[in-house]
Amino acid sequence: MVDENAGAIITVFVLGVVTVLHLLGAVPARLVLIFGLFAVVLLLAIGLLVLGEIRDGMRDAR
């Protein structure tokens, strides 16, 4: 679980850096869109993994 969280944090950080570079005019908008879509997909996947772990934990608690 820690690895997924670290991956999400790194992805969001890179997205922020790319967005700032775009605002400064150094990066084209297409690259920001690609990183943004990747970040959204990654965060949704991590959310599904977390929900699966919660479900498995509840199954074991019974």
Side-chain angles (χ1 to χ4, degrees):
M1 176 97 142
V2 175
D3 294 334
E4 292 94 3
N5 290 338
I9 290 169
I10 291 169
T11 302
V12 172
F13 176 76
V14 169
L15 178 63
V17 169
V18 170
T19 303
V20 169
L21 288 175
H22 171 66
L23 292 175
L24 295 175
V27 175
R30 177 179 285 174
L31 189 61
V32 175
L33 179 65
I34 291 170
F35 274 110
L37 290 175
F38 178 71
V40 166
V41 169
L42 178 71
L43 293 174
L44 286 174
I46 290 172
L48 290 175
L49 286 173
V50 168
L51 288 175
E53 288 186 15
I54 290 171
R55 184 194 66 212
D56 291 343
M58 293 301 292
R59 188 177 300 152
D60 293 339
R62 291 183 194 170

